[in-house]
Structures are given as C-alpha cells and as structure tokens.
Amino acid sequence: MKSDKIILGIDPGTNIMGYGVLSVSNGKAQMVTMGVIDLRKFPDAYLKLGHIFERVTGIIDSFLPDELAIEAPFFGKNVQSMLKLGRAQGVAIAAAIRHSVPIHEYAPMKIKMALTGNGGASKEQVAGMLQRLLKIKSEDMSKFMDATDALAAAYCHYLQMSRPETSAPHYKGWKDFVNKNQEKIWKSKKA
C-alpha cells in the first residue's frame, strides 16, 4: 500500500452533509478532520446544491485528497428524499471529478460491516468504533453523526485499500476447484 495518501469521505445529505479526512502513512490511518456542511439555512434546493459544490471544492482544495469515498444513497420508500439525496451526492461527485479525484462509492451496510462487523450497526456504534480505531479524543468527536458517517466511509475505503491483492484463483467450492483443475488432477493420477 502506498504511504502518504489522503482520503476524503463524504456522507451526502440535503440538510447536513458530513465530511471526514483521513491521512494514511506507513499503512496507518489517522484522522485529519471531520465536520459538516450545514445546508439548513438555504431555503432553495438549488442554492443548497450550489453551496455543496462550493464547499466540497473548498475542502478538496484545502486537503488535496488522493481519493474520495462517498456513501451511496440507500433505497428508501420516499422517492422524493431519494431524488434529493442523489442530487446532493451527484454534486459532491462532480466537485471531485472537476479536481480529477478518483471516486469510490460504498453502501451504508458495507461501511457499517467494515467498521463494526455488523451491517445493521447504529450510527452511535460506528462513531464509537471510529473513536477507538483512530484514537480520537472525546472532545474532537463531532456532535453530528453525519461527520462520523463520512469519516467511516473514508475508513472503509482505507480498509479496502489495505487488502493485499492476490492473483491466486478463487473457488466457489470443491466442485468448482475440481472443474477448474481437472487437467492437473488427471496428470497427478497418471504419475
């Protein structure tokens, strides 16, 4: 794994958008910052989107991330909420694209699973695990779970990066192994 990598995590939102920045050096992750973009004061949806673009661009300019990890919108029953959330996510992604920052999208369940081992973990459990893993002081924890969710997206990406890639073949079971290795098995029986 490369050292000295900066990962920006984003938890898209239409009222509160979370962000978190991780620094990875010598294979270890460390929190740089986390916070929120408060969009509640903007009465117009399009003004919110413009502000998201400006703030995410500013965060990218400040921290120069090498990669963006963004939480994918989950599929809920409210179509209007999904549409708004998708727009917010799209604008954040557009800011990253404008700066040539590679984007990685993670489902909320995958992020929770990566951090806690439980895809149904609560936001509080995720925040607590981040605090332990990154040794974040209580006073440095955000009161907004959107910020810790964003940092969790960045940490999930860090975990994905740290997995060594292997060229070893993967098998679905013994039957798959036998099917893919019939020639080798046949030769060993002849010997």
Side-chain angles (χ1 to χ4, degrees):
M1 179 167 67
K2 281 184 9 186
S3 62
D4 301 326
K5 184 172 278 223
I6 303 291
I7 304 169
L8 169 61
I10 290 188
D11 177 34
T14 54
N15 288 320
I16 304 284
M17 179 176 274
Y19 66 89
V21 180
L22 276 184
S23 169
V24 180
S25 187
N26 298 322
K28 295 194 182 210
Q30 187 174 16
M31 182 187 80
V32 175
T33 190
M34 71 172 143
V36 295
I37 301 168
D38 192 343
L39 304 160
R40 295 175 292 187
K41 62 185 173 235
F42 296 98
D44 181 75
Y46 299 110
L47 290 175
K48 286 182 181 189
L49 295 176
H51 190 67
I52 290 169
F53 188 83
E54 287 171 13
R55 288 287 287 122
V56 172
T57 296
I59 292 165
I60 291 170
D61 287 340
S62 295
F63 296 101
L64 304 172
D66 297 292
E67 302 191 38
L68 169 70
I70 191 162
E71 187 174 302
F74 60 92
F75 296 99
K77 293 179 183 173
N78 188 329
V79 177
Q80 284 301 316
S81 293
M82 281 286 304
L83 179 63
K84 289 175 186 174
L85 198 57
R87 286 178 176 169
Q89 183 200 36
V91 169
I93 288 172
I97 289 170
R98 185 167 192 255
H99 287 79
S100 302
V101 177
I103 299 145
H104 306 273
E105 188 176 47
Y106 296 98
M109 188 178 280
K110 179 164 179 111
I111 294 169
K112 291 174 182 181
M113 185 64 113
L115 265 88
T116 68
N118 175 8
S122 70
K123 289 177 175 285
E124 291 79 12
Q125 288 171 315
V126 169
M129 187 58 79
L130 274 173
Q131 189 173 5
R132 283 189 289 285
L133 291 168
L134 295 171
K135 297 174 179 61
I136 303 169
K137 296 176 189 168
S138 294
E139 60 267 18
D140 293 334
M141 290 297 289
S142 175
K143 66 178 182 173
F144 292 99
M145 293 290 151
D146 310 83
T148 52
D149 282 355
L151 193 62
Y155 197 83
C156 175
H157 183 62
Y158 156 72
L159 292 173
Q160 293 296 309
M161 288 175 14
S162 13
R163 287 189 177 157
E165 291 194 24
T166 177
S167 59
H170 298 282
Y171 304 105
K172 295 176 188 161
W174 281 108
K175 195 173 191 177
D176 187 37
F177 173 82
V178 171
N179 287 337
K180 290 181 179 173
N181 292 285
Q182 282 183 349
E183 190 175 317
K184 289 179 190 173
I185 294 168
W186 185 72
K187 283 181 182 178
S188 70
K189 285 183 179 181
K190 280 180 110 179

